[in-house]
Structures are given as structure tokens and as C-alpha cells.
């Protein structure tokens, strides 16, 4: 069975999607539609922008979404998923690809999500850190015993977690994690504490937009970050998506459940190859490849 997986923030690069734009009339039309929906020339930033311009949350999130969803669309009959999943932002790309969301609705949600997250980041000085070489339960335990707000935010693969919270608490937790034997506990260059309670203002802002958007019966199940199991009910998908901003990304558990349910090949749709690497670390026997037109 084929599982199509969609990357999140951090996979962006200058020139992303340009080949699709130049070689496919369908892609060109969708990129032009995106410029109209967003009200600014995102294609120009994607194709020619600097790394700093691409790093802005309000650009990064729609850019990655566009690269992923337009690639899936241009693949046409070659895009045949038995199941889909997306890492954080990638979940909305996956929901467009499996026909739960219309393209323009997905794009608007991604843009609102980016702005809401940016706004939440400005309210409290916050950050994230990558933790390597410790078991999940030890990371969770140390976070729980650290004063302030700090939680496990991304379960990327065994031995690789990302923690998230206020600046002081994340710094203290990193010190404790190193003392406990972590190979690394490294502060990440991000705008704020994604997938933590500090994203509550963004969750509230986005919830209204999600509730007002039409979700339809998907073409195949999605394994969502919050639940980790196959979901096909549109109202359940909606609910999981609302809670995604303040809940951890359970990528390890999602991939394990996809394999349990019969996934043998994981195809990454969009920029970069980070997810292929994570899948291999979760299960070395899983086959991975890059989606191509």
C-alpha cells in the first residue's frame, strides 16, 4: 500500500515549484490562483526570494503547501494514495491531496494559520529545541518537572524529539536533558513555541476559520498528528485539525500505525526529503521515494 506524506515548515528553498510552473499549464494556473487568493505575489518569493524572505512564517507555510499540493495535482493519475499524512503544516496539504478540502480553502486556512501563529509568537518570548538520544518518556518527565511552560512538541522518530515552550523553561530543560544523557539539546531558529500551550491564541483564531470551512468525505484515510490513527470522518478531521496547534506532532506514532495498517511505500510530496529520512529511522525496512511528475 502507498502512503503519501507531506512536509512541514523548514523544507523551503529558493526556486521551489519553479519547474512545475514552467512545465505544466495546470500548475501555472494554480500558482496564479494562489497569488490572487493571498493578495501578494508568492510565486515571485518562491522562485526568486532570499532564504530570509522564505523563512517568514506567512510566506513559508503557504509556499510549502503550494509546492506539495500542486505537485500532487500535476501528478494526475500517478497520484494514487491508499493513505496520507502530513507533518504539522503538511497535514493541510494532505487534506487537499485526499480531497477533504478544496485547493483555495486549504490555501486560505494555511495563510490564516501562519498569521495566527505569528501573532501568538509575538505575545510571549518562546522557542523550540531539538533533543537527540534520549527516550521519549525521559524527555516528557524532564519537561514536566521544569518550571514554566515546556512540553514535548514533535515526536519525529525514536531518539529525536523537539520540545517547545517559553524561552527560560526551554533553556532550563535543555540543561537538564544534557545532564540526563541527551546527545544534543539544541535551541532551534524558530519564531516561537509551536505545538505547545502558548499557541492557544492561534488555536482559538484558527478554530473559527476551520469551523467555517467545508470538509468533505476524503478519497482515502488521513493519519493525523493529534490522533495518529486512520481518520475518514470529516467532523473528526476538523476537530483534530483545530487541536493540532497546541498538541504535539506524533509523527513516529502515525508512521508506525500506517505500517501496521499495511503501508509498504512512503512517497514524500513537496520540497525536501526530511520525512523520508524520519520514516527510515522509524522503520528501516520501509520503502521511501520522492514524488515526481
Amino acid at each position: 500500500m502507498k502512503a503519501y506524506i507531506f512536509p512541514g515548515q523548514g523544507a523551503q528553498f529558493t526556486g521551489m515549484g519553479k519547474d512545475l510552473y514552467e512545465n505544466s499549464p495546470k500548475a501555472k494556473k494554480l500558482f496564479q490562483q494562489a497569488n490572487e487568493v493571498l493578495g501578494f505575489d508568492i510565486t515571485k518569493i518562491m522562485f526568486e526570494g532570499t532564504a530570509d524572505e522564505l523563512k517568514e512564517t506567512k510566506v513559508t507555510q503557504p509556499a510549502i503547501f503550494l509546492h506539495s499540493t500542486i505537485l500532487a495535482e500535476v501528478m494526475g493519475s500517478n497520484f494514487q494514495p491508499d493513505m496520507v499524512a502530513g507533518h504539522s503544516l503538511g497535514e493541510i496539504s494532505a487534506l487537499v491531496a485526499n480531497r477533504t478540502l478544496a485547493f483555495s480553502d486549504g490555501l486560505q486556512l494555511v495563510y490564516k494559520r501562519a498569521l495566527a501563529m505569528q501573532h501568538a509568537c509575538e505575545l510571549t518570548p518562546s522557542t523550540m529545541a531539538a533533543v537527540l538520544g534520549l527516550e521519549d518518556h525521559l524527555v516528557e518527565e524532564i519537561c514536566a518537572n521544569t518550571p514554566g511552560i515546556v512540553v514535548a512538541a514533535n515526536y519525529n522518530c525514536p531518539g529525536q524529539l523537539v520540545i517547545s515552550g517559553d524561552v527560560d523553561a526551554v533553556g532550563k530543560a535543555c540543561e537538564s536533558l544534557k545532564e540526563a544523557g541527551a546527545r544534543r539539546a539544541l535551541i532551534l531558529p524558530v519564531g516561537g513555541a509551536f505545538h505547545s500551550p502558548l499557541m492557544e491564541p492561534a488555536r482559538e483564531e484558527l478554530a473559527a476559520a476551520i469551523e467555517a470551512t467545508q470538509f468533505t468525505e476524503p478519497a482515502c484515510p488521513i493519519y493525523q498528528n493529534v490522533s495518529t490513527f486512520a481518520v475518514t470522518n470529516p467532523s473528526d478531521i476538523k476537530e483534530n485539525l483545530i487541536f493540532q496547534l497546541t498538541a504535539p506532532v506524533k509523527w513516529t506514532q502515525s508512521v508506525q500505525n500506517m505500517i501496521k495498517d499495511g503501508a509498504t511505500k512512503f512517497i514524500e510530496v513537496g520540497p525536501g526529503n526530511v520525512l523520508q529520512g524520519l520514516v527510515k529511522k522509524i522503520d528501516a525496512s520501509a520503502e521511501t521515494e520522492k514524488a515526481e511528475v
Side-chain angles (χ1 to χ4, degrees):
M1 289 173 84
K2 289 180 180 176
Y4 284 78
I5 50 178
F6 296 80
Q9 207 158 327
Q12 68 276 5
F13 63 91
T14 301
M16 59 192 289
K18 195 176 181 185
D19 55 336
L20 294 170
Y21 184 91
E22 290 174 343
N23 297 312
S24 163
K26 184 188 268 187
K28 191 172 191 174
K29 192 178 172 186
L30 288 169
F31 275 119
Q32 287 168 344
Q33 185 186 336
N35 288 337
E36 287 166 24
V37 169
L38 295 173
F40 68 93
D41 196 345
I42 192 162
T43 50
K44 188 174 173 62
I45 305 172
M46 287 173 71
F47 304 161
E48 302 166 20
T50 64
D52 281 345
E53 286 173 318
L54 275 170
K55 208 164 62 179
E56 277 190 74
T57 298
K58 68 173 187 180
V59 172
T60 310
Q61 294 198 19
I64 291 167
F65 167 87
L66 289 171
H67 191 290
S68 298
T69 54
I70 292 173
L71 174 56
E73 192 60 40
V74 171
M75 286 171 73
S77 59
N78 288 331
F79 182 74
Q80 296 282 354
D82 295 301
M83 53 184 82
V84 295
H87 191 287
S88 188
L89 153 75
E91 189 157 285
I92 301 179
S93 307
L95 289 171
V96 170
N98 81 347
R99 307 297 184 212
T100 305
L101 284 170
F103 172 77
S104 60
D105 287 344
L107 178 56
Q108 285 176 29
L109 278 185
V110 165
Y111 192 52
K112 283 172 184 168
R113 179 185 192 270
L115 294 178
M117 288 170 80
Q118 191 65 51
H119 181 238
C121 291
E122 287 159 8
L123 296 175
T124 310
S126 56
T127 193
M128 302 176 84
V131 182
L132 304 181
L134 267 193
E135 289 180 34
D136 294 357
H137 72 92
L138 284 173
V139 178
E140 291 163 350
E141 209 174 285
I142 287 167
C143 286
N145 292 322
T146 302
I149 295 172
V150 57
V151 295
N154 292 0
Y155 293 79
N156 285 333
C157 65
Q160 189 191 122
L161 250 77
V162 175
I163 62 172
S164 183
D166 67 70
V167 171
D168 287 348
V170 171
K172 284 176 189 146
C174 283
E175 287 169 26
S176 303
L177 289 160
K178 284 175 193 166
E179 285 167 17
R183 200 162 73 248
R184 291 184 83 177
L186 183 73
I187 302 289
L188 296 171
V190 294
F194 305 142
H195 301 289
S196 82
L198 292 172
M199 283 292 119
E200 182 58 27
R203 189 195 68 77
E204 288 172 9
E205 218 175 300
L206 196 63
I210 291 172
E211 291 292 4
T213 302
Q214 187 182 1
F215 283 55
T216 58
E217 199 79 33
C220 68
I222 180 163
Y223 288 67
Q224 289 182 278
N225 296 173
V226 169
S227 69
T228 79
F229 296 105
V231 189
T232 54
N233 182 301
S235 60
D236 292 343
I237 291 172
K238 225 177 218 193
E239 193 177 329
N240 288 334
L241 195 61
I242 288 169
F243 285 105
Q244 195 222 58
L245 283 187
T246 51
V249 173
K250 295 181 178 173
W251 187 251
T252 302
Q253 300 88 328
S254 298
V255 170
Q256 286 168 339
N257 285 332
M258 291 167 102
I259 291 167
K260 207 182 288 177
D261 292 347
T264 50
K265 183 185 276 191
F266 288 81
I267 302 151
E268 187 164 4
V269 189
N273 54 12
V274 169
L275 297 185
Q276 292 172 77
L278 294 181
V279 168
K280 281 289 190 191
K281 285 174 182 168
I282 293 164
D283 189 328
S285 67
E287 196 183 331
T288 62
E289 68 178 49
K290 186 90 181 141
E292 288 176 358
V293 178

